[in-house]
Amino acid sequence: MGDTLLTLSIPALLLVSGLYTAVSTWWRRRHPAPPSPYTQQAARLAEGRERP
């Protein structure tokens, strides 16, 4: 019984990690992180907002 559980746990672990990766990738595409305040792009965006 112990060998069977070990044998089945490996594919189950791979399946769960693959599902986690897929959902994580989907979530990050739907909810992108805001730009870092330390990048040049953020500095250009801030300059554009300050000008009328």
Side-chain angles (χ1 to χ4, degrees):
M1 182 69 182
D3 293 337
T4 304
L5 287 176
L6 180 62
T7 303
L8 293 176
S9 68
I10 294 170
L13 181 64
L14 291 174
L15 177 69
V16 169
S17 65
L19 285 174
Y20 176 82
T21 302
V23 170
S24 176
T25 302
W26 174 82
W27 180 263
R28 288 182 183 165
R29 286 184 180 175
R30 296 285 182 161
H31 303 89
S36 172
Y38 303 107
T39 62
Q40 292 179 357
Q41 179 184 7
R44 286 194 302 269
L45 288 173
E47 288 177 5
R49 290 181 183 164
E50 291 176 5
R51 295 179 186 168

